[in-house]
């Protein structure tokens, strides 16, 4: 069984309360951190090799070291709890059941970054979790871990929870900052980056919930110890929210040394596919990352076993690989239709585009309409090429990565499942009655020509 | 406030755009550097407006390729960048019209901008001075690949002088910056998101402010139009003259362009520079107040300075060749000193349709062979 850090005590009864959390060893890292200098904490996080768990996988220690420190200007830590990516629900689990884990990580991180006022920007739909977090903050405050002069160190820190209003785009860090400031959640044009000008033009670090929680074991056990878990540049543990056609959907903590195959089929994790169906495809890192057919998912183009870590999932680039993303693991069995599935995702991005830049504003709706047309048996061959061309013209040409996130799923679906799209065009009636099925997607060696 | 007002520090950053090297002050954007060169080297800009703080970055028509970041770090930038919001570095090498990637992406952006545009130019007041028309003409493709219903909105009167035709809007956000930066209380902004985003006023409130008319001038398309001018005439039938009056509204420059037909003033606008922006006077943007724009419609209200110099830009230039400014020709420089091989002089006779052949004497429809015969 893999090592558990974040979820080690998840099943202790009453762990949501301060009392039980503290009894199980909670808030030790705060006591330890206050004996260190902020620079040493940053150094420990660097040593741990921790990478951002929000999707991009940017090294957290490095990000922290970029924060500007102009004289007399306050700095802020903002925790990104917007979690709106389809397929991703790991932060929710952590915040709902072990809220003190996040608060503890935030106190240590705030101390390291010099943030006296830190924020949690939480997805609006997580209304009840806001209450849980506020309760936890109040408990921490009562016990002297928040507020003025924490544990007599002279360090002040307040944490506020701000609810979003139901927009995926507010998970993008600069849109989040705008929204936190009370404005329309449009992503900002970068540079300047938040590390220089973030909330109210003050230096700001935006990190994912899981990233900040991971600071707790890093301080408790030391960065080097944390880095020993996992493999290569994928250190520590990662929360994966698994869903789709699997026997045991849920949130799992993995140590990034297991294979994708083990994750899907072992009883410790997803427990295989229900009803004896076969694996067709999978999106391993949340809706924005490329979908892979079963064959490329389980084995890389080089013929190696694909593992559940940053490097291995990305092996082969976008031609034959995908990304770890935010850990939203979506499994599709042989009964699923890739065209319909892609259309659903396109509808999501169309709905969530902020509309600032023309390629994303206009292109996302266009792609959805074409996909709908193909899905309803009215597609033409030229539509497939048109889709390819549209996604190509959105990708890389927009203000924020939502444009890319809208383009990649469409590109990957056409790259790997083109025959299924063509089948829809050629069989306008049959495609309404049945699915294309598994086809050759699970065949051992079928490597598509890279696009 | 405006980029232009800043006092120019000594120019000392070398930047090369499409093989032309110039020196500009640190902090200059790639777009503004390209504008000092002029001609085709300048990327088109639909949302950036040098006099409006924070504008730009949205439309993506000004994307360029940065082939080398700077002398210190000559790595190319991985993605195309918005030239209006990217500042130059010393030794930066930029490719605009010499980059296939840029041309491809720009064609894409133009297609996106036109996707939902009604193309109702024949009934649009902006026709003739529309930047989208120019852009489509220069970079667009014939026909559309979009086969779905276009997005439409109801027309809306926002205040007594301005009509909003949202269907034509390209969401450049310029008018919201005018509302934010020129008028006291902003009651107008963007509602909704994505494709459904629209310019609107706060609960359909009327815009009532002495400087609101400047929104019409900054709007690159016919989404915000002057209700006092609507459908009265075509801009190319009117004759622009520069005029001024002693205006007492604080912040109004009183310098305008009158659009005349005979003695009648059909429309009053701010004076525009060669980039279609409001001209600056003494380093200050020449915004005008609503009194000058909407109420002073008699030639007697104005001291007329003379005929406006019209850029060879769009169809307003038709019939107004007085004082025409010929755009700078940069082709030879862009090609690195090599004379262009494939540039035709439009006055040359073409292969077909030569003067010596009289169409009326040809039996039936003309064929290219008919023209080759007499060679
Ligand atoms: C459209 C969009 C949505 C995003 N949504 C989230 C989100 O819900 N949660 C999150 O942590 N990061 C999200 N991100 C990533 C953030 O911009 C940012 O990279 C992240 O919060 C940084 O934290 P990390 O370094 O800890 O990963 C999103 C990015 C984009 C472009
Ligand atoms: S890419 Fe889409 S979501 Fe991002 S800024 Fe542009 S329009 Fe908004
Ligand atoms: S109304 Fe005009 S100025 Fe305002 S956003 Fe639309 S196109 Fe731009
Ligand atoms: S002018 Fe630069 S993005 Fe619009």
């Amino acid at each position: 069984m893999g090592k558990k850090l974040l979820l080690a005590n998840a099943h202790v009864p009453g762990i949501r309360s301060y009392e039980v959390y503290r009894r199980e060893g909670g808030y030790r890292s705060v006591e330890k951190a206050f004996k260190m200098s902020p620079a040493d904490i940053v150094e420990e996080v660097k040593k741990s090799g921790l990478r951002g768990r929000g999707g991009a996988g940017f090294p957290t220690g490095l990000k922290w070291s970029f924060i500007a420190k102009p004289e007399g200007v306050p700095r802020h830590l903002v925790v990104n709890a917007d979690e709106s990516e389809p397929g991703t629900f790991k932060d929710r689990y952590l915040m709902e059941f072990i809220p003190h884990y996040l608060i503890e990580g935030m106190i240590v991180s705030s101390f390291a970054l010099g943030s006296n006022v830190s924020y949690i920007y939480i997805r609006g739909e997580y209304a009840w979790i806001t209450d849980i977090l506020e309760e936890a903050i109040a408990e921490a405050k009562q016990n002297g871990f928040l507020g003025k002069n924490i544990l007599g160190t002279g360090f002040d820190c307040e944490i506020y929870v701000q609810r979003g209003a139901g927009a995926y785009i507010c998970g993008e860090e600069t849109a989040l900052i705008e929204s936190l400031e009370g404005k329309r959640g449009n992503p900002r044009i970068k540079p300047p980056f938040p590390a220089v000008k973030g909330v109210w033009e003050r230096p700001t670090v935006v990190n994912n919930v899981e990233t900040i929680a991971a600071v707790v074991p890093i301080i408790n056990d030391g960065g080097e110890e944390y880095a020993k878990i996992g493999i290569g540049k994928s250190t520590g543990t990662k929360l994966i929210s698994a869903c789709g056609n699997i026997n045991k959907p849920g949130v799992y903590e993995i140590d990034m040394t297991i294979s994708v195959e083990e994750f899907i089929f072992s009883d410790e994790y997803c427990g295989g596919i229900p009803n004896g169906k076969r694996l067709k495809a999978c999106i391993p890192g949340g809706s924005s990352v490329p979908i892979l057919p079963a064959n490329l998912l389980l084995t890389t183009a080089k013929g190696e076993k694909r593992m559940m870590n940053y490097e291995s999932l990305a092996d082969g680039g976008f031609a034959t690989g995908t990304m770890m993303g935010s850990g939203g693991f979506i499994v599709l069995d042989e009964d699923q239709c890739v065209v319909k599935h892609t259309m659903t995702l396109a509808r999501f991005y169309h709905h969530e585009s902020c509309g600032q830049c023309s390629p994303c504003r206009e292109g996302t709706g266009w792609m959805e309409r074409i996909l709908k047309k193909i899905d309803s048996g009215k597609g033409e061959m030229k539509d497939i090429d048109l889709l390819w061309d549209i996604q190509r013209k959105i990708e890389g040409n927009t203000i924020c990565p939502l444009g890319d996130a809208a383009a990649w799923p469409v590109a990957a679906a056409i790259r790997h499942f083109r025959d299924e799209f063509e089948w829809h065009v050629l069989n306008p009636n049959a495609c309404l009655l049945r699915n294309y099925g598994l086809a050759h997607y699970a065949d051992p060696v079928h490597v598509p020509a890279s696009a | 406030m405006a980029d232009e007002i800043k006092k120019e520090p000594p120019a000392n950053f070398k930047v090369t755009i499409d093989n032309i090297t110039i020196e500009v002050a640190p902090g200059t954007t790639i777009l503004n550097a390209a504008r000092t060169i002029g001609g085709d080297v300048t990327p088109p800009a639909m949302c950036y407006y040098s006099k409006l703080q924070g504008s730009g970055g949205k439309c993506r028509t000004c994307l360029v390729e940065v082939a080398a970041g700077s002398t210190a770090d000559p790595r190319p930038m991985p993605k195309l960048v918005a030239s209006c919001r990217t500042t130059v570095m010393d030794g930066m090498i930029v490719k605009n019209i010499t980059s296939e990637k840029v041309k491809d992406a720009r064609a894409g952006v133009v297609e996106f901008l036109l996707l939902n545009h009604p193309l109702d130019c024949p009934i649009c007041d902006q026709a003739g001075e529309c930047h989208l028309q120019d852009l489509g003409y220069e970079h667009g493709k014939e026909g559309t690949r979009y086969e779905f219903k276009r997005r439409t909105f109801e027309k809306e009167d926002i205040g007594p002088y301005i009509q909003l035709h949202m269907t034509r809007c390209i969401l450049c956000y310029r008018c919201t910056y005018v509302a934010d930066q020129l008028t006291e209380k902003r009651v107008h902004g963007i509602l909704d998101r994505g494709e459904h985003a629209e310019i609107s006023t706060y609960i359909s409130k009327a815009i009532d402010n002495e400087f609101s008319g400047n929104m019409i001038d900054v709007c690159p398309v016919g989404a915000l139009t002057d209700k006092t001018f609507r459908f009265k005439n075509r801009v190319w039938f009117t004759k622009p003259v520069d005029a001024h009056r002693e205006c007492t509204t604080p912040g109004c420059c009183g310098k305008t362009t009158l659009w005349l037909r005979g003695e009648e003033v059909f429309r009053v606008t701010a004076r525009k520079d060669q980039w279609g922006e409001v001209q600056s006077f003494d380093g200050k943007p020449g915004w005008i107040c609503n009194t000058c724009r909407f109420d002073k419609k008699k030639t007697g209200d104005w001291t007329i300075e003379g005929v406006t110099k019209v850029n060879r830009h769009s169809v307003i230039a038709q019939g107004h060749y007085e004082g025409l400014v010929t755009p700078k020709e940069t082709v030879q420089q862009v090609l690195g000193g090599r004379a262009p091989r494939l540039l035709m002089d439009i006055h040359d006779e073409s292969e077909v349709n030569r003067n010596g052949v009289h169409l009326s004497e040809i039996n039936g429809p003309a064929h290219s062979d008919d023209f080759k015969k007499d060679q």
Side-chain angles (χ1 to χ4, degrees), chain B residues 51-310:
Chain B
K51 283 110 193 156
L52 296 169
Q53 180 88 46
S55 66
K58 302 193 194 300
C59 70
R60 317 306 283 176
T61 54
C62 71
L63 290 174
V64 293
E65 183 181 339
V66 176
S70 66
T71 314
D73 182 2
R75 283 176 305 173
M77 291 192 184
K79 290 181 187 178
L80 303 183
V81 299
S83 61
C84 65
R85 290 293 294 258
T86 311
T87 47
V88 297
M89 300 299 274
D90 196 27
M92 186 185 260
I93 298 173
V94 178
K95 288 165 128 196
N96 178 29
I97 51 172
T98 49
S99 161
E100 285 309 314
K101 256 162 84 185
V102 169
K103 285 198 252 178
D104 180 54
R106 191 167 294 153
V109 172
V110 174
E111 183 173 27
F112 288 133
L113 283 175
L114 291 172
L115 209 59
N116 272 299
H117 195 78
L119 294 176
D120 57 347
C121 311
I123 53 154
C124 176
D125 264 344
Q126 192 87 358
E129 48 183 6
C130 173
H131 290 245
L132 190 59
Q133 242 181 0
D134 298 350
L135 189 75
Y137 184 70
E138 279 160 34
H139 304 276
K141 293 209 172 61
E142 238 174 80
T144 174
R145 297 189 288 173
Y146 192 67
E147 43 180 28
F148 305 96
K149 220 175 144 241
R150 285 196 159 105
R151 165 179 76 220
T152 52
F153 295 88
E154 291 290 316
K155 274 184 263 186
E156 199 185 330
D157 281 342
I158 46 175
Y161 300 122
I162 307 174
Q163 187 168 61
L164 169 65
H165 203 316
M166 185 57 213
T167 308
R168 294 178 187 144
C169 170
I170 59 160
L171 284 169
C172 71
Y173 281 60
R174 282 179 184 176
C175 57
T176 63
Y177 290 111
V178 166
D180 210 27
Q181 292 164 29
L182 288 184
T183 68
E184 246 118 66
K185 268 213 190 99
R186 179 162 74 97
V187 291
H188 132 258
I190 314 263
L191 297 185
D192 224 320
R193 67 177 181 229
E195 243 187 24
H196 309 288
E198 59 174 305
I199 297 290
S200 194
T201 51
Y202 182 63
I203 325 190
S204 294
K205 227 174 165 164
I207 291 180
D208 175 22
N209 184 291
E210 260 305 288
F211 284 89
S212 63
N214 290 292
M215 287 175 199
I216 301 168
D217 278 343
V218 302
C219 185
V221 293
L224 293 169
T225 47
D226 182 340
K227 269 172 69 185
T228 65
F229 177 65
R230 276 182 66 77
F231 303 137
K232 293 248 175 74
N233 219 315
R234 283 311 209 171
V235 283
W236 56 89
F237 294 141
T238 58
K239 178 174 174 172
V241 297
D242 287 350
H244 66 264
R245 62 182 279 271
E246 287 304 321
C247 180
T248 51
T249 314
C252 174
C253 75
K255 297 188 177 65
T256 61
T257 299
L258 308 182
W259 300 77
L260 305 176
R261 187 133 189 220
E263 280 302 295
E264 203 180 339
V265 180
F266 271 92
R267 185 172 67 148
V268 183
T269 64
R271 288 194 207 162
K272 305 279 183 77
D273 65 13
Q274 58 170 323
W275 311 114
E277 289 188 11
V278 164
Q279 266 181 36
S280 288
F281 300 102
D282 306 324
K284 276 211 221 93
W287 308 113
I288 59 168
C289 68
N290 286 0
T291 312
C292 285
R293 186 187 301 270
F294 300 118
D295 298 339
K296 303 292 170 195
K297 290 282 177 84
K298 286 199 273 317
T299 38
D301 295 330
W302 297 94
T303 312
I304 292 181
E305 297 168 18
V307 178
T308 306
K309 284 200 170 106
V310 179

Side-chain angles (χ1 to χ4, degrees), chain A residues 33-38 41 106-115 155:
Chain A
F34 281 146
K35 298 198 187 95
M36 301 162 71
S37 75
I41 301 175
M106 280 184 78
I107 299 168
V108 174
S109 308
S110 300
F111 179 64
L113 294 164
S115 161
F155 177 68

